[in-house]
Amino acid sequence: MSAKGGFPPAGEAGKLEIYSTMNISLYLSPFITSFLASVVLIAATIWLCGKFNGLISKRKSSRHVSGKRISRLGGVAIILSFSLAIFLDPNLFISQSLWGILIACGLILVVGLWDDFRELDWKTQLFFQVAVAVFVFIMGVRVEYITNPFGGVLFLNLGKYLLPSLFFVIGWLVLLMNSANWLDGVDGLSGGISLIGSLTIFFLSLKPEVNQPPVGIIAAALAGALAGFLLFNFHPAKILAGTAGSMFMGFILAVLAVFAGTKIATALLIMTIPIIDALWVIGERLRAGTSIFRPDQRHLHFKLVELGWSQRKITLFFYGVISAIALVALNTRAIGKMITIILVLLITVAVLIFVNRKLKAAKTA
């Protein structure tokens, strides 16, 4: 499956076509800018939180394995450093759709911080996520069609009938924002997987048949911000991404996939395990009669902790599996990606069943 969306290689963004995709300095500059900004901002945040306890959220995170009080302001540094690298890059034309994404990032920052300190209810969060999706759609982040890997094309942007494309964008963005948010339960997990996703889209944008330098620049800026964050977030974490950071990670991967035009299947591949885990947890919550939005420790990473895995082992395990999936995404076309998605889905479900049975046996022993 692939889609054509809001950032074509010609027109406004086409100003970058004069550059070769192999011009390393074109991508090294935004990466270094966002990386250094991220490191400086996070180090300053950690220092400030040590001096002023009021900057540390009073909430004990039930979605993080430690449950301890720790600064949840990492997302602020990630979003600001990413945005700074985009604004300072002299080679990148900021189109209307990119402006929409940057404004949406600012809104995610504000609402995410609100949740980190005041804990918004799920209805407010969902309303906000839908509103952000509608906003970027209006600004030009749209999916025109989806190609069937077995042949044929399904057009979503049917002239004045924009509802199919709108519903797809809303569903896609909300799915990835929540999957990334729920993934942030082990040190380094959400940030590392998002980094792998950004690097995958970056390398894919350099392929001759894709040739999208603007997407490469944006992905490089994102990778730099996430790499700087991981220096402080890998176990033992000194700072967490918080709702602002984790929601931003899912959002930016989702819009980059649409922005790039043909990366929906690639992003879906990278996020298959988190998405299946999120859907599995929703099913468990429904069977238990609890709210599907109520934070708990039903996710796969929490269950692996119960089995005795360390946070570092869990994180590296996810990194390895998703890196392997990313290599497949970089070297296969639509039909190969679809087959891989199905295989990963089946394997993930099998692993979840196995882990659940093992935990049940351990509790009854």
Side-chain angles (χ1 to χ4, degrees):
M1 178 177 66
S2 64
K4 184 178 180 184
F7 202 65
E12 292 178 333
K15 293 184 178 182
L16 280 178
E17 287 188 320
I18 60 174
Y19 295 96
S20 166
T21 55
M22 298 310 294
N23 185 352
I24 300 301
S25 62
L26 191 67
Y27 312 107
L28 195 57
S29 177
F31 176 87
I32 293 175
T33 299
S34 60
F35 175 79
L36 292 177
S38 180
V39 169
V40 170
L41 287 171
I42 291 175
T45 299
I46 294 172
W47 181 82
L48 286 171
C49 288
K51 291 290 184 180
F52 306 99
N53 289 332
L55 293 175
I56 300 178
S57 172
K58 294 182 173 60
R59 291 176 52 192
K60 286 190 176 182
S61 178
S62 56
R63 282 200 177 126
H64 197 276
V65 67
S66 66
K68 63 184 179 182
R69 282 189 61 200
I70 186 172
S71 173
R72 297 168 58 87
L73 298 177
V76 177
I78 297 171
I79 296 172
L80 291 181
S81 55
F82 168 76
S83 301
L84 180 67
I86 296 299
F87 281 119
L88 292 181
D89 195 285
N91 299 307
L92 188 62
F93 180 87
I94 302 182
S95 62
Q96 176 179 301
S97 51
L98 184 52
W99 270 117
I101 289 171
L102 292 171
I103 293 171
C105 290
L107 295 174
I108 289 172
L109 175 60
V110 172
V111 175
L113 284 175
W114 189 1
D115 180 66
D116 285 328
F117 284 90
R118 297 294 183 183
E119 192 164 7
L120 298 173
D121 63 86
W122 69 266
K123 293 179 181 178
T124 303
Q125 286 199 46
L126 183 60
F127 173 81
F128 166 73
Q129 291 170 357
V130 172
V132 164
V134 172
F135 172 72
V136 295
F137 179 86
I138 292 171
M139 294 296 286
V141 180
R142 300 178 182 180
V143 176
E144 296 178 5
Y145 62 79
I146 299 175
T147 57
N148 187 332
F150 304 105
V153 173
L154 174 63
F155 288 95
L156 298 179
N157 198 1
L158 305 176
K160 63 180 180 179
Y161 302 105
L162 300 178
L163 286 182
S165 180
L166 174 61
F167 290 150
F168 183 91
V169 169
I170 291 173
W172 175 241
L173 264 64
V174 169
L175 177 64
L176 260 67
M177 278 193 280
N178 283 298
S179 296
N181 192 18
W182 292 354
L183 187 66
D184 191 26
V186 173
D187 292 347
L189 190 56
S190 61
I193 290 176
S194 298
L195 176 59
I196 294 170
S198 64
L199 290 175
T200 304
I201 292 177
F202 169 74
F203 286 116
L204 204 55
S205 71
L206 301 187
K207 297 183 75 171
E209 63 269 29
V210 178
N211 188 27
Q212 290 184 319
V215 175
I217 290 175
I218 297 169
L222 176 61
L226 293 172
F229 169 68
L230 280 176
L231 290 180
F232 302 90
N233 182 246
F234 197 76
H235 186 73
K238 298 178 179 64
I239 193 169
L240 301 179
T243 300
S246 56
M247 196 181 297
F248 164 78
M249 293 175 200
F251 168 80
I252 200 65
L253 286 178
V255 295
L256 258 184
V258 176
F259 221 32
T262 55
K263 313 296 189 305
I264 295 291
T266 299
L268 186 60
L269 257 177
I270 300 300
M271 295 296 289
T272 296
I273 295 177
I275 289 171
I276 297 305
D277 180 50
L279 295 176
W280 183 277
V281 169
I282 288 174
E284 288 191 341
R285 289 171 182 170
L286 288 173
R287 288 195 296 273
T290 61
S291 169
I292 63 173
F293 295 97
R294 182 181 179 181
D296 56 33
Q297 298 197 347
R298 298 177 186 269
H299 293 281
L300 177 59
H301 45 271
F302 288 125
K303 292 175 179 178
L304 292 175
V305 170
E306 284 189 64
L307 290 177
W309 287 36
S310 67
Q311 290 193 60
R312 189 180 295 266
K313 182 179 179 181
I314 293 170
T315 301
L316 293 176
F317 169 74
F318 272 87
Y319 287 1
V321 172
I322 291 176
S323 294
I325 294 173
L327 288 175
V328 173
L330 285 170
N331 292 283
T332 56
R333 296 190 179 275
I335 184 65
K337 289 183 176 68
M338 182 57 65
I339 293 172
T340 305
I341 288 172
I342 294 172
L343 288 175
V344 173
L345 187 156
L346 294 175
I347 293 172
T348 303
V349 170
V351 168
L352 286 166
I353 292 172
F354 173 78
V355 169
N356 278 354
R357 288 179 176 176
K358 197 164 184 179
L359 283 174
K360 187 176 181 180
K363 291 176 180 178
T364 57

